[in-house]
Amino acid sequence: MRPKQEPLKFAITSKGDATSNTLMQKMKTYLVDFGLEYDEDEPDLVISVGGDGTLLYAFHRYCQRLDKTAFVGVHTGHLGFYADWVPEEIEKLVIAIAKTPYQIVEYPLLEVIVRYISGGQEARYLALNECTVKSLTGTLVMDVEIKGDLFETFRGDGLCISTPTGSTAYNKALGGAILHPSLEAIQLAEMASINNRVFRTIGSPLVLPAHHTCILKPVNQVDFQISIDHLSLLHKDVKLIQCRVADEKIRFARFRPFPFWKRVRDSFIAD
Ligand code: NAP
Ligand code: MN
C-alpha cells in the first residue's frame, strides 16, 4: 500500500472518441480537486476509458511497471469485459478512488519469448489476452513441445495461447474453455487444424499449469505473423516461440465486488 501522506498518482487513457475524452477530462478534474496528482509517467492507478481495446493499450503502455500500477476500466459502449464501470457511475467511482484504500486483485499473464535463428536479441512480451501465431503463406506448420517433449506437429490456420482473462476473447471464438483467473494457467487453442489419416493433432484446447512451458518450433517456414493482444508483428527467421505463465501479474483495483462469473454472464448472456 502507498504511504498515506503521499497523494495517489493517477493517469487516464482514453479510447479517443468524443464521449471517452469528455469523461476523461471530467474524471481528471474531479480527482485533482480531491487532491490526487495526475502523473502520466509513474501512475499508481491507471483509469482506462473506452473498452477492452483501451485497457489492452493501457496495459502495454505501463507494462514495465506492473508491480506499481493498478488498472480500472470505465466503458463507453462496446463490450468492456475488463471495464467494470459505466459513465453514469463516474461520480461514485471518483469518490471511491479518492476516499477508500482500494482492494487489488491480481490476474495471471502470458509470457512470450521469440528467439531467432541468427541468435540475436530475443524478443520478450507479456500478453493480457493472448498470443496468436499464423503463417504468412498458407498452412502454419509447427512442432508443439510441452515441458521439453514433442507433443504434436500442428498443421492449420494458427495457434492461440491465452491467459485466463483472455480466455473469453479470441480463445472463446476458437471453442476454448473459459478459465477462472484464479487459475495460474495458459490455454493453447487450435485454429482450424488439418486432421486426416496423414496429419493429426489433439483437436482439443489444452490448459497448461504454471511452469509447463510450451514451445512452438518451425518445421519449414521460419517467418510468422505473431500477435500479442491487439499488436500484430511479422517476425522473420524464427527459431522458436516460448510461452508460459509469466512471473508478472496484472493488478486490478476493485472498489466493489464483481465476481468473474458475473462478468462472464453480463458479457455473454445478459446484463
Ligand atoms: P477488437 O477487434 O475491437 O476486439 C474484439 C472484441 O473482443 C471486442 O468486442 C473487445 O471488446 C473484445 N475483447 C477484448 N478482450 C476481451 C476479453 N478479455 N474478454 C472478452 N472480450 C474481449 O480489438 P481490440 O479491442 O483491440 O481487442 C483485441 C482482442 O481482440 C485480441 O486480444 C483478441 O482477443 C480479440 N480478437 C478476437 C477475434 C475473434 O474472436 N475471432 C479475432 C481477433 C482478435 P471491446 O469492444 O470492449 O474493445
Ligand atoms: Mn475494441
Side-chain angles (χ1 to χ4, degrees):
M1 272 275 88
R2 68 202 153 92
K4 267 215 171 87
Q5 55 277 26
E6 279 187 34
L8 183 96
K9 291 183 282 181
F10 72 99
I12 308 182
T13 307
S14 161
K15 184 176 176 179
D17 60 296
T19 312
S20 304
N21 285 345
T22 308
L23 263 180
M24 170 170 80
Q25 280 311 328
K26 227 171 157 181
M27 292 191 79
K28 193 167 162 179
T29 309
Y30 285 164
L31 287 167
V32 169
D33 283 351
F34 271 117
L36 279 66
E37 196 182 307
Y38 192 78
D39 185 337
E40 268 196 16
D41 298 320
E42 296 186 329
D44 303 307
L45 182 71
V46 172
I47 305 162
S48 150
V49 182
D52 295 324
T54 320
L55 197 118
L56 290 172
Y57 174 86
F59 166 78
H60 286 280
R61 166 144 193 213
Y62 295 105
C63 84
Q64 299 307 320
R65 54 189 321 279
L66 292 177
D67 54 333
K68 300 182 200 76
T69 306
F71 296 85
V72 63
V74 177
H75 70 87
T76 52
H78 297 276
L79 183 64
F81 183 78
Y82 286 119
D84 306 355
W85 298 79
V86 293
E88 296 73 47
E89 300 175 308
I90 283 300
E91 278 86 358
K92 227 162 92 186
L93 175 61
V94 164
I95 291 166
I97 293 172
K99 296 274 145 103
T100 58
Y102 46 80
Q103 290 239 303
I104 297 283
V105 294
E106 293 188 330
Y107 291 161
L109 297 168
L110 165 70
E111 180 198 71
V112 180
I113 292 174
V114 184
R115 296 211 170 90
Y116 303 95
I117 294 165
S118 61
Q121 185 69 37
E122 64 182 33
R124 180 179 186 267
Y125 302 97
L126 289 177
L128 176 56
N129 271 349
E130 78 283 289
C131 166
T132 68
V133 182
K134 292 177 188 174
S135 148
L136 301 171
T137 49
T139 308
L140 175 79
V141 185
M142 290 202 109
D143 281 340
V144 178
E145 279 183 19
I146 299 174
K147 242 189 145 204
D149 293 322
L150 177 66
F151 181 77
E152 65 183 12
T153 300
F154 176 87
R155 286 180 182 78
D157 282 3
L159 288 163
C160 171
I161 302 100
S162 59
T163 65
T165 48
S167 68
T168 51
Y170 207 154
N171 170 75
K172 188 174 182 296
L174 299 171
I178 297 180
L179 256 60
H180 192 276
S182 62
L183 298 167
E184 294 218 2
I186 54 172
Q187 181 168 188
L188 176 67
E190 299 182 346
M191 297 177 196
S193 57
I194 301 176
N195 269 291
N196 52 38
R197 270 194 293 123
V198 187
F199 303 129
R200 184 130 310 276
T201 63
I202 189 74
S204 313
L206 302 179
V207 177
L208 306 182
H211 311 301
H212 284 208
T213 303
C214 173
I215 295 182
L216 308 177
K217 282 189 178 158
V219 175
N220 314 309
Q221 309 113 305
V222 289
D223 299 347
F224 302 96
Q225 193 71 32
I226 303 177
S227 79
I228 303 289
D229 298 335
H230 55 295
L231 174 79
S232 182
L233 289 173
L234 164 64
H235 292 251
K236 283 179 175 284
D237 301 316
V238 172
K239 187 171 150 201
L240 60 84
I241 303 163
Q242 176 188 303
C243 300
R244 63 177 196 102
V245 177
D247 291 332
E248 296 92 335
K249 293 195 158 208
I250 184 169
R251 301 160 74 240
F252 284 104
R254 283 275 180 274
F255 301 93
R256 61 180 175 198
F258 195 177
F260 181 73
W261 298 118
K262 180 168 165 47
R263 187 183 299 276
V264 172
R265 184 178 190 281
D266 286 1
S267 299
F268 297 103
I269 299 177
D271 66 350

